[in-house]
Amino acid sequence: MSEVISYEKIGDIAVLAANNPPVNALGLAVRQGLVDGIERAEKEGARAVLIYGEGRTFFAGADIREFGKPPVGPFLPDVCSRIESSPLIVVSALHGTALGGGLEIALASHYRIAVPKARMGLPEVLIGVMPGAGGTQRLPRLIGIDKSLDVITSGRQVGAKEALKLGILDKIVDGEPREIGLAYAQELIDANAPRRPVSEMPAPAPVDFDALYDAVLKKGRGLLAPAVAVRGIQACCELPFDEGMKRERELFAQLMNTDQRQGLIHAFFAERAVGKLPELEGVAPRALNAIGVIGGGTMGAGIATSALLSGLKITLIEMSPKAAEAAKGRIAGNLQGALKRGKISPETFEELTEKALTLATDYAALKDADLVIEAVFEEMSVKKDVFTKLDAICKPGAVLASNTSYLDINEIAAVTSRPADVIGLHFFSPAHVMKLLEIVVADKTAADVVATGFALGGKMGKVSVRAGVCDGFIGNRILSTYRTCADYMILDGASPYQIDKALEEFGFAMGPYAVADLAGLDIGWAVRKRKRAEGMNPQARDFTYADKLCEDGHFGQKTGMGYYDYSAGPKSRVPNPEVMPLIEADRAAQGITPRVFTDEEIVRRYMAAMVNEAAKVVGEGIAKRPLDVDVTLLYGYGFPRYRGGPLKWADMQGLPALLDDITSWAEADGYFWAPAPLLEQLVAEGRSFDDLNRD
Ligand code: NAI
């Protein structure tokens, strides 16, 4: 008998308990153990079999250590079918997270019971594949097309209560999975309940699956896996069970060989690797109880909301009582959203806004804070003033953080007597929604301060990426470059609308000009003014159309007009007719004859600019590894997850061809297109960015 599945006979019930920590993943020994256990139960004359997991969860899915290795039998679909075809009654008792193969085992059982906190789902599409052990064949038989379509194509986790309503579960009982499972199995024996194999239930009547396929593909902006999973559901409805299982297998195998799967698996591992830094090994973070936030504008209010929602107490400093009240209003507005979505109760809402949040105008209120995040205006002099005050007030060991987007953290730290305690914590807007946090490590930042930044990010449910100091850190620096590339394409003949369309077709949630309208055109305007004042490189190209839009009061969505006209609402954008004449005037003033760009060239140049700057960011050590860049773009900039991130995309494209393009464009514009030394080095050595992730 396998060690990871223990066998015990209690009266008429054979108990198969999984003991494969940490998550009872369905590795080879577990699969074999389940088959052996069912056989032994049948031989020993049991009447029912109970399957459950010891430790924190039922089977949480496949064993990721087996990814990429040749599969070894018994395969999961066969294990499921062996469970289902047993003449005994099979009960699964769920707790923790029954995901993927875990839920498929439960679906192959005849009855399903769970504790109230159990969660379940078929998240395969999130890593570019689809259920492959009967999920698409059994779930529609059990709960119908619409509900299974939602569960399978979203990959989302379903809580026990909802699962009961959907018909995935038969029963919810609070307690230990072993105890509730045993009681349920006994109840079924006593009631002489029949076996209930889902495969023998009638399949739902077919619907227009071609239309469903197209709709799902469109919704996923080109993401294949959920659309292909629709074909699996189709097979369930149109084919006998065994043939449906074969078809599911074929579809699964098709997805295994796609670039999208490679991209998604890369994203999956990259986001787990991002917080694992050798410099933080064994370094304990500092205390994180009382948090201060300075400035309650867009960002300060969002950061405070996110911190409150993660259970932290906040003291927020504003410039005047009026501004403090306005900040509270913004926070309450954010929390209203959480209340509406059922994420918090009215009592919690009250607690967070009235008790956990303290407003103040005097910095003295921060004297006991463990960590303070500054989110005041993006002006070096204002930041320096704030940090001088913090240095005077805060207790020794308090972490002093800035949310600056671009400014030099070293320069800010230098105004304090404790630069080792100063760090950048760069949140993204809206900060209570966006998951990315750049943890910007300055020259003198202490390791335990960095660890505290990661601990805060963890508490707030963020994906934290370590970045070094430079203009814009990882994300905004790369953004500036690919935005510049897009701006240059506009000067040379493309329109903002063609560029947005081409990049949205590539898979970006929004094109760069729609994003600019959302963020506010005044932000880029301020940056351009600062750069011009600092003295731009004479080789850089400049333009005025974007400034003119701002001078006319068009700051994007917040003023109802930017590159697009939003008079019909923020979701229905149409081109602003003032834009093209401004662009044409710029071209004429610079003596440019506009040329035609294909969508393909737009994507190629935009992506090459992104990759080239990203390679510089890694080469200079601003990002420690290529995967840090990938995660930054995925979580902060709407990069399509199924393409893995810009550097994974570059690897899959082939680095030599990309470098050839960049080199050829450098003939016309050697300043902007100067190839990144790291890219040249990788091409010369025949290596990839992913090789660096593994070094
Ligand atoms: P904002 O203008 O909405 O808010 C700034 C707030 O700070 C105002 O409410 C102001 O009253 C307050 N304030 C100014 N000086 C203060 C002082 N000395 N003491 C206390 N309060 C003070 O600006 P926003 O957009 O929230 O930006 C804040 C910071 O966050 C900037 O450094 C910005 O670069 C950065 N950031 C902005 C992002 C965005 O998308 N808006 C994204 C990430 C970072």
Side-chain angles (χ1 to χ4, degrees), residues 371-421:
L371 179 144
V372 180
I373 306 165
E374 161 281 308
V376 303
F377 305 132
E378 183 79 342
E379 269 283 338
M380 186 52 100
S381 59
V382 184
K383 305 266 189 211
K384 282 185 174 170
D385 182 45
V386 168
F387 274 78
T388 307
K389 286 187 188 143
L390 288 177
D391 192 26
I393 291 284
C394 290
K395 67 183 182 190
V399 173
L400 311 181
S402 173
N403 180 51
T404 179
S405 309
Y406 287 92
L407 301 176
D408 184 343
I409 308 283
N410 285 317
E411 203 179 327
I412 295 173
V415 303
T416 72
S417 62
R418 38 175 135 174
D421 296 340

Side-chain angles (χ1 to χ4, degrees), residues 525 528 544-554 582 585-586:
W525 193 25
R528 285 191 299 278
T544 60
Y545 62 85
D547 303 332
K548 292 212 167 102
L549 272 178
C550 293
E551 284 160 19
D552 289 347
H554 301 325
L582 289 174
D586 243 328

Side-chain angles (χ1 to χ4, degrees), residues 141-152:
R141 283 184 159 83
L142 193 62
I143 67 173
I145 293 180
D146 290 351
K147 294 180 205 164
S148 55
L149 189 75
D150 164 44
V151 171
I152 292 169

